[in-house]
Amino acid sequence: MTNNKYVLDFVQKYADLLTPDKIVWIDGSKQQKKELIEQAIATGEVMKLNNKLLPGCLYHRTAQNDVARVEDRTYICTRSKDDAGPTNNWMDPQEAYTKLDSIAKGSMKGRTMYVIPFSMGKVGSRFAKYGIELSDSIYVVLNMMIMTRVSPKIYDKLGGTDNFVKCIHAKVNIDLENRYICHFPEDNTIYSINSGYGGNVLLGKKCLALRIASYQGWKEGWMAEHMLILGIQKPNGETKYVCGAFPSACGKTNLAMLIPPETYTSKGYKVFTVGDDIAWLRKGRDGMLYAINPENGFFGVAPGTNVKSNPNALESTRKNTIFTNVAINLKNNTVWWEGLDKNPPQKALDWKGNPWHPGMVDADGKPVKAAHPNSRFTAPIQNCPSLSPEFENPKGVPISAIIFGGRRAKTAPLVYEARDWKHGVFVGSIMASETTAAAAGQVGVVRRDPMAMLPFCGYHMGDYFQHWLNMGKKIKNKPKIFNVNWFRTDENGNFIWPGFGDNMRVLDWILQRCEDAVDAVESPIGYLPKPEDINIEGLEGITLDTIKGLLEVDKDTWKQEAKGIEEFYAKFGYRLPKELRKELKTLKSNLRKA
Ligand code: GTP
Ligand code: SPV
Ligand code: MN
């Protein structure tokens, strides 16, 4: 497959350690893929779904203890502990290698080790980063073939160098107690041991494209962010691009694929999807910030996806897709999840493989879910009806606005604009959101999640903030920065804002701000829209007063918020940029004066 000495040594080293019976070099061919699928079906690792209704689609169940990312078992292994920063778990690299090697040693006996060459970003583009993942899971191989560009071409592109990320994945026994997701940014290396769940094992995604890439971007002068990228084509044919950072399961895929309401489509507005989870950003020659989506597919949340909420995502999953931990409809061997439609299958298997029927309750009388709340689909990006014609553009797309957002039941207004880049970095750094099922642990507790990168920043977050500030100094035509919140609730806990396609109404205001086409109102936290500037035409049950309520900034709540920010900032010590300290001071003084 290759003569590259570094690649051969890498494969040999781990073959010696893991002792697989066989090594298979993945060549990206259709024939090899077909054979792998057949083998995985034979062992039960995957199941074929109804080939008429879901052609080429497969089904997989993970172990029940292995259904989400494990943040408490995820480590940044830098030589100096301080370099991992206060928001990451840290292990000494030598200690980590020794520990993980001893856990994984010999674990591929009786198994096959697959060598997966992949590119994040278009092969050969200036954005592209290459990786080689070793894995003993066909499920991982098949997912990587959708999520990344798997091709032996990357061996040529390496040109004899070791310029690739070494990714080692061993399932071992899927033992939670010995599960480790370790990153060695200084060695361009990732280890994932004892897991088989997406975000822990598809190492091109969170591990490479965010944790390792954020570190590389810091060193090389670019950025790797947990962001969707979308294009909005206006009636005059011009397209503007926007990036959005929301924490896991907070609406990136949905926003990236939104279908605008009638009041916009009738005028000729169209939305295009460039990416739904990760953006790599670099300065362009024209002084604008350019973004690519380094992935090649979607690893999206299934529950809640339906023809109304996200028809583009649903359509993307109708062929050549892998479904993980959803329910099986036994009537026709298709898939089902909560929120897909109002017709749950009468006879089904739940995500654990147990018989399931609508209205089922457990011993405590609680409803039994058919699909796991973090069940996912892995769909090829080319399936997406709203895919941007610019997706493959190796230069990326120029970004006009960056949006931060999270789940906040009360504090954050529907939308506000940062006063300038520095203030925007502050707005990103103080993001907070209620936790979701995307990571193991309690759901629904508010935590600080700067730029939606808390679990994904591969170095000291104080340095990361400084890097954002520095990038601002380099980019002449800076995107404007905004914060949004689709998740404000009323006194009964119901979402007030309709969200989904109607988020276009907020994007519209954002674009108008970028073009200086509309005024805004100053507030202690930044610029707010005038309520009448949010288009509510055709929205049932939403009045100007609703919008006023959604835009309210409660002084006392924000004073509390400022305290929380101060506590959070204290963690970073001298590595917190002084510009941010100053922004916090300004916020406090604005609140005092208000
Ligand atoms: P990751 O893949 O984990 O990074 O998640 P994501 O940020 O792409 O989130 P996704 O778009 O998959 O949405 C997650 C959940 O949020 C789903 O259950 C959606 O139904 C819900 N959601 C998305 N957008 C909205 C919105 O505008 N309003 C409301 N109320 N819910 C939304
Ligand atoms: C997320 O949790 O942000 C995801 C899913 O996009 S995973 O790939 O599991 O990280
Ligand atoms: Mn994500």
Side-chain angles (χ1 to χ4, degrees):
M1 198 62 71
T2 176
N3 297 321
N4 183 307
K5 179 178 166 312
Y6 299 103
V7 175
L8 296 175
D9 286 353
F10 167 59
V11 174
Q12 191 59 50
K13 175 177 168 185
Y14 287 96
D16 291 345
L17 176 78
L18 304 165
T19 64
D21 286 9
K22 217 168 97 186
I23 298 174
V24 171
W25 294 72
I26 298 300
D27 61 15
S29 70
K30 282 206 175 107
Q31 181 56 32
Q32 192 185 42
K33 182 177 166 190
K34 197 170 152 253
E35 287 165 18
L36 288 171
I37 291 174
E38 278 162 15
Q39 282 172 38
I41 290 172
T43 60
E45 189 174 350
V46 301
M47 241 174 63
K48 234 189 162 92
L49 291 162
N50 186 320
N51 209 41
K52 268 224 182 79
L53 299 172
L54 295 170
C57 291
L58 299 170
Y59 178 82
H60 174 79
R61 270 187 205 108
T62 64
Q64 290 178 30
N65 73 10
D66 190 27
V67 292
R69 285 181 294 100
V70 278
E71 295 180 0
D72 57 330
R73 310 205 65 95
T74 298
Y75 290 79
I76 301 298
C77 307
T78 42
R79 282 189 289 275
S80 151
K81 178 172 184 187
D82 203 31
D83 289 344
T87 57
N88 283 312
N89 299 312
W90 175 84
M91 223 191 294
D92 171 75
Q94 281 323 313
E95 188 192 321
Y97 286 128
T98 307
K99 184 175 190 136
L100 302 183
D101 284 350
S102 80
I103 297 172
K105 192 170 193 278
S107 69
M108 290 192 189
K109 198 166 169 14
R111 299 179 186 177
T112 301
M113 180 169 91
Y114 300 95
V115 182
I116 315 164
F118 66 95
S119 176
M120 301 310 293
K122 197 172 176 177
V123 182
S125 76
R126 81 172 177 136
F127 277 95
K129 293 283 176 190
Y130 307 126
I132 300 175
E133 178 162 351
L134 309 178
S135 173
D136 52 356
S137 158
I138 297 181
Y139 171 75
V140 166
V141 177
L142 297 175
N143 272 273
M144 287 295 282
M145 282 178 160
I146 297 174
M147 293 307 296
T148 75
R149 290 151 169 103
V150 170
S151 164
K153 263 193 273 177
I154 77 134
Y155 296 128
D156 303 331
K157 294 287 170 191
L158 291 179
T161 70
D162 67 345
N163 201 1
F164 62 94
V165 183
K166 302 179 184 72
C167 306
I168 299 103
H169 167 238
K171 288 187 290 193
V172 194
N173 314 311
I174 314 290
D175 169 12
L176 183 58
E177 298 303 311
N178 280 309
R179 187 167 300 155
Y180 288 96
I181 319 297
C182 289
H183 306 73
F184 305 84
E186 291 153 348
D187 304 341
N188 240 0
T189 299
I190 303 162
Y191 267 60
S192 166
I193 307 288
N194 270 306
S195 176
Y197 165 75
N200 298 332
V201 299
L202 309 178
L203 299 184
K205 195 175 178 61
K206 294 305 174 15
C207 299
L208 192 162
L210 288 179
R211 298 195 190 96
I212 296 290
S214 62
Y215 174 87
Q216 293 175 330
W218 175 46
K219 297 281 168 183
E220 298 166 9
W222 54 281
M223 303 161 95
E225 299 295 333
H226 192 201
M227 288 179 176
L228 69 103
I229 312 164
L230 63 78
I232 302 168
Q233 191 182 55
K234 299 189 295 180
N236 68 6
E238 190 192 9
T239 304
K240 291 280 166 103
Y241 295 91
V242 171
C243 281
F246 312 152
S248 301
C250 289
K252 288 182 299 304
T253 302
N254 276 274
L255 191 67
M257 298 181 190
L258 83 78
I259 294 181
E262 158 75 20
T263 155
Y264 288 93
T265 48
S266 62
K267 294 190 190 93
Y269 281 90
K270 256 180 119 169
V271 169
F272 291 102
T273 310
V274 181
D276 82 321
D277 198 48
I278 297 175
W280 285 357
L281 303 137
R282 281 177 186 266
K283 192 183 93 168
R285 280 210 196 91
D286 58 0
M288 284 190 78
L289 189 61
Y290 279 74
I292 64 143
N293 166 15
E295 302 192 278
N296 205 25
F298 306 118
F299 187 62
V301 178
T305 307
N306 61 54
V307 267
K308 268 182 94 182
S309 66
N310 195 345
N312 285 320
L314 195 63
E315 184 57 31
S316 304
T317 67
R318 297 298 91 177
K319 59 179 183 198
N320 303 323
T321 292
I322 302 173
F323 296 91
T324 302
N325 293 341
V326 300
I328 295 275
N329 182 345
L330 288 173
K331 190 174 134 215
N332 55 9
N333 195 27
T334 57
V335 288
W336 193 81
W337 50 77
E338 276 69 19
L340 171 64
D341 54 39
K342 298 214 166 83
N343 303 309
Q346 293 306 310
K347 273 180 87 179
L349 293 178
D350 69 8
W351 67 275
K352 297 176 176 168
N354 297 325
W356 184 92
H357 60 80
M360 209 167 143
V361 290
D362 66 13
D364 303 325
K366 277 205 311 218
V368 176
K369 287 215 150 75
H372 187 276
N374 191 39
S375 53
R376 300 248 167 189
F377 53 78
T378 318
I381 202 162
Q382 298 296 342
N383 282 359
C384 182
S386 58
L387 184 64
S388 163
E390 296 297 305
F391 168 66
E392 295 274 10
N393 188 336
K395 290 205 196 97
V397 293
I399 300 302
S400 300
I402 292 175
I403 307 176
F404 295 119
R407 285 179 189 260
R408 293 307 295 272
K410 298 283 173 254
T411 320
L414 178 63
V415 58
Y416 69 100
E417 180 189 335
R419 288 181 289 269
D420 53 29
W421 181 269
K422 259 190 231 170
H423 181 227
V425 175
F426 174 73
V427 168
S429 79
I430 66 168
M431 262 173 73
S433 192
E434 294 157 22
T435 51
T436 66
Q442 222 186 332
V443 169
V445 281
V446 174
R447 71 166 183 186
R448 299 268 151 216
D449 188 351
M451 282 87 170
M453 283 290 278
L454 182 74
F456 307 121
C457 182
Y459 59 107
H460 194 296
M461 207 147 210
D463 295 344
Y464 169 81
F465 295 151
Q466 187 62 54
H467 184 45
W468 264 84
L469 293 165
N470 295 349
M471 286 298 291
K473 285 177 204 142
K474 285 206 301 202
I475 310 158
K476 204 167 72 221
N477 301 313
K478 287 185 261 302
K480 285 200 175 206
I481 300 180
F482 299 82
N483 193 86
V484 300
N485 178 22
W486 317 137
F487 298 95
R488 267 215 192 182
T489 52
D490 61 19
E491 50 295 337
N492 301 320
N494 298 314
F495 296 123
I496 303 169
W497 178 246
F500 301 98
D502 287 311
N503 292 333
M504 177 66 199
R505 300 167 190 273
V506 173
L507 292 178
D508 178 20
W509 183 77
I510 286 174
L511 282 197
Q512 289 188 58
R513 284 299 294 167
C514 292
E515 293 169 349
D516 279 326
V518 67
D519 267 344
V521 194
E522 279 203 45
S523 86
I525 64 170
Y527 301 129
L528 290 168
K530 293 183 179 164
E532 61 273 23
D533 287 334
I534 300 290
N535 174 7
I536 53 171
E537 193 190 312
L539 258 188
E540 258 171 60
I542 301 277
T543 63
L544 195 60
D545 277 338
T546 321
I547 301 295
K548 277 185 190 154
L550 284 167
L551 292 173
E552 219 158 45
V553 174
D554 182 71
K555 233 174 39 182
D556 293 327
T557 315
W558 272 90
K559 280 186 178 160
Q560 274 306 112
E561 189 72 1
K563 271 192 202 144
I565 298 165
E566 193 147 29
E567 273 166 36
F568 182 64
Y569 270 7
K571 285 190 186 187
F572 299 98
Y574 75 96
R575 271 161 115 153
L576 183 82
K578 58 181 183 315
E579 285 94 333
L580 295 187
R581 227 179 274 283
K582 227 170 110 189
E583 291 291 343
L584 176 57
K585 245 174 125 175
T586 307
L587 172 66
K588 290 206 295 200
S589 110
N590 287 351
L591 288 166
R592 242 179 283 125
K593 282 187 264 175

